[in-house]
Amino acid sequence: MAGPEQHGDSGHRRRVVLFSLPFHGHLNPMLKLAALLHARGLGVTVLHTCFNAPDPARHPELAFVPIHETLPDEATSPDSDILRKLLALNAACEAPFRAALASLLRGGRRDVACAVVDGQCYAAMAAAGELGVPALALRTDSAASFRNMLAWPRLRDAGYVPIKEEQLDEPVPGLEPLRVRDLIRVDGRDTDEHCSFVASVAGAVRASVSGIVINTFEAIEAAELAKIQRELSLPAFAVGPLHLLLGRTPPEEQSLHEPDRGCLAWLDARPPRSVLYVSLGSLARVDRGAFEVMAWGLAGSGVPFLWVVRPGSVAGGAAAAGDEAPPLPDRFEDEVRDRGKIVKWAPQREVLAHAAIAAFWTHCGWNSTLESICEGVPMLVQPCFADQMVTARYVTHEWGVGLEVGEEVVERGMVAKAVREAMAGDGGARMRERAHRLQMQASAAATSRPWTV
Ligand SMILES: O=c1ccn([C@@H]2O[C@H](COP(=O)(O)OP(=O)(O)O[C@H]3O[C@H](CO)[C@@H](O)[C@H](O)[C@H]3O)[C@@H](O)[C@H]2O)c(=O)[nH]1
């Protein structure tokens, strides 16, 4: 049963119900969409999991209702990969989401006009459909990544998946510029489980939703959006970049950890365009070897850097979970003392907007990629899993605003070389020019949206 609504308006407006899976990179775009819908005069109720629940105090204009799910460990443990999490969350949220939505419909919320649910939550799409609530799916990844997902059955029939080592460099017909190695992968696996997850998402989209809402903008993904519409015979709306649509003082974001604002003062003392920002987002984990390669690559590059070393971001070891950041390699801090700043969590959007930032070493999570594009910051890409593979390819080969660091195991010398090229080389200068152009286009997209506030 849905609990009582917390905060939010109770007026008699047409109402939209939103539901996001409890990932940082999904919840924040959904809450931004919620704020925009509210600003357009709609009532908004956010159904949410108790795990990683949003803080109602940050969004007094919205109504919040917990679904009271019971999650198995694999839905939340840092040791389970993204696929296990997605499967477990879908299974665990299905019944409580349906009950919460049904209870809203019964209990005086007859004003519910539609639902917007997480585009990875097939359980919620199906439940909305069963209850007769028109639903839209919000994709918090790129249109290109969603197309890759929709193409999965065809890729399987054509023998591209499961991915084979000897085909890694082959182009994938119909999904250019992707090669086989750029297809969505989960921690190196593309098992039957992955195929069935992808099929469940595509099946629910086809059966239960009236349209797709994507946090992207036309200047970079018009062709992908058109193909999605054609393939699904459903409207696909570009609504992003969502973080630009809420004006210069958007509501404070849900934060995974307390952002270390000291790094902004540290950046203030640096010359313009001199610092490399390094972060792999809120979910990715690297093994100890790859972490050390990153560390010594940064040390060997000679460039100043701000590095987010998130608690739980290195697999294994004593500090694999909890609130402690993983230990840095011996002697690393002494070596980079004058030019390296290490934090557990940064105010990323402010960091990317800072004049001292020259480039962003990123895992290509879609939020980070959009944030980098919107600030005109070129990227060094190190995709870790899922849509990040697709996005990295678009960043480097379609939009020309990034360089590859190399996949998985990278040699220390290669890291240092890529870092220097992005910061000071000719390739870096060309990327910066293109990044500036995309920044202008993103800003134009944001100001042209009728729902910008
Ligand atoms: O120190 C930090 C590090 C990150 N962030 C923020 O955290 C978000 C990270 O989002 P994203 O870049 O999308 O990465 P993930 O957290 O990894 O996001 C998950 O969700 C995304 C959207 O679906 C997918 O693209 C990714 O592959 C998936 O891992 C961004 O808004 C960042 O600004 C901070 O504020 N401070």
Side-chain angles (χ1 to χ4, degrees):
M1 284 285 289
E5 284 188 10
Q6 287 187 41
H7 295 259
D9 68 315
S10 51
H12 296 288
R13 310 199 280 179
R14 301 266 287 166
R15 183 158 295 272
V16 183
V17 176
L18 294 101
F19 179 68
S20 166
L21 291 175
F23 300 118
H24 182 78
H26 291 217
L27 202 47
N28 272 319
M30 185 67 92
L31 290 170
K32 290 188 179 93
L33 184 64
L36 288 164
L37 292 169
H38 181 270
R40 292 288 292 173
L42 290 159
V44 178
T45 297
V46 178
L47 295 182
H48 63 87
T49 55
C50 295
F51 172 70
N52 272 352
D55 177 2
R58 291 182 189 210
H59 307 274
E61 76 283 14
L62 309 176
F64 287 89
V65 180
I67 67 165
H68 296 298
E69 77 289 354
T70 306
L71 294 182
D73 278 354
E74 60 182 1
T76 58
S77 160
D79 292 326
S80 65
D81 63 40
I82 187 71
L83 179 60
R84 295 248 139 70
K85 288 192 167 86
L86 285 165
L87 289 166
L89 283 165
N90 267 282
C93 291
E94 184 171 8
F97 171 81
R98 186 188 295 103
L101 184 57
S103 156
L104 275 185
L105 296 173
R106 275 197 311 274
R109 279 286 177 231
R110 296 180 206 290
D111 52 354
V112 171
C114 84
V116 182
V117 301
D118 195 308
Q120 306 268 32
C121 191
Y122 49 84
M125 293 180 222
E130 281 165 34
L131 293 170
V133 177
L136 296 167
L138 172 66
R139 296 296 311 190
T140 53
D141 55 350
S142 67
S145 146
F146 183 47
R147 259 201 85 220
N148 181 176
M149 231 175 167
L150 293 175
W152 215 256
R154 175 170 70 73
L155 296 177
R156 195 153 59 158
D157 292 347
Y160 290 106
V161 290
I163 291 171
K164 294 170 211 65
E165 196 65 26
E166 63 277 14
Q167 284 185 313
L168 286 178
D169 290 317
E170 282 184 25
V172 185
L175 287 182
E176 296 80 5
L178 301 186
R179 303 156 298 176
V180 170
R181 66 168 70 249
D182 308 313
L183 295 174
I184 293 174
R185 262 183 289 162
V186 180
D187 291 351
R189 298 180 299 123
D190 59 334
T191 56
D192 287 348
E193 257 179 331
H194 186 217
C195 290
S196 94
F197 170 73
V198 169
S200 300
V201 171
V205 163
R206 288 195 161 91
S208 307
V209 307
S210 319
I212 315 293
V213 181
I214 309 181
N215 184 16
T216 188
F217 60 105
E218 295 82 348
I220 55 171
E221 294 212 281
E224 309 302 338
L225 287 157
K227 286 174 193 159
I228 289 170
Q229 305 213 91
R230 256 199 319 275
E231 282 167 34
L232 289 175
S233 301
L234 285 175
F237 303 102
V239 295
L242 282 168
H243 73 277
L244 284 193
L245 269 57
L246 286 164
R248 278 284 148 201
T249 48
E252 212 185 321
E253 296 214 327
Q254 299 297 128
S255 201
L256 196 62
H257 301 281
E258 189 57 39
D260 184 335
R261 302 191 61 81
C263 64
L264 295 172
W266 183 85
L267 288 174
D268 287 344
R270 300 270 149 191
R273 276 214 221 122
S274 63
V275 176
L276 175 70
Y277 172 56
V278 188
S279 162
L280 302 182
S282 70
L283 284 174
R285 304 178 90 196
V286 293
D287 63 28
R288 186 76 211 167
F291 178 68
E292 300 214 348
V293 169
M294 282 181 84
W296 293 119
L298 286 169
S301 69
V303 303
F305 63 88
L306 166 61
W307 185 13
V308 178
V309 179
R310 197 190 79 234
S313 59
V314 176
D323 207 37
E324 283 301 304
L328 295 160
D330 286 348
R331 300 189 314 282
F332 172 74
E333 280 176 284
D334 291 340
E335 199 147 322
V336 299
R337 191 163 301 286
D338 297 335
R339 62 184 170 86
K341 172 89 177 155
I342 293 139
V343 297
K344 283 192 206 172
W345 191 253
Q348 180 165 303
R349 286 186 42 210
E350 287 173 76
V351 165
L352 287 170
H354 198 286
I357 294 297
F360 180 12
W361 179 345
T362 172
H363 69 314
C364 286
W366 187 237
N367 295 291
S368 293
T369 305
L370 279 179
E371 289 161 12
S372 202
I373 285 176
C374 291
E375 296 302 338
V377 175
M379 289 165 258
L380 275 175
V381 305
Q382 184 187 357
C384 299
F385 58 79
D387 63 311
Q388 297 155 23
M389 326 300 285
V390 176
T391 301
R393 183 68 174 170
Y394 274 70
V395 165
T396 54
H397 285 77
E398 188 74 10
W399 307 321
V401 292
L403 287 178
E404 282 172 24
V405 181
E407 284 183 1
E408 293 152 16
V409 182
V410 278
E411 280 174 45
R412 289 175 187 189
M414 277 174 59
V415 173
K417 191 165 159 256
V419 168
R420 282 196 299 266
E421 177 64 13
M423 303 278 294
D426 290 346
R430 281 193 297 275
M431 287 190 322
R432 246 189 313 282
E433 249 177 64
R434 287 190 287 259
H436 181 65
R437 222 173 20 245
L438 290 193
Q439 178 185 23
M440 296 296 116
Q441 291 172 330
S443 161
T447 42
S448 73
R449 303 263 184 247
W451 51 87
T452 298
V453 294

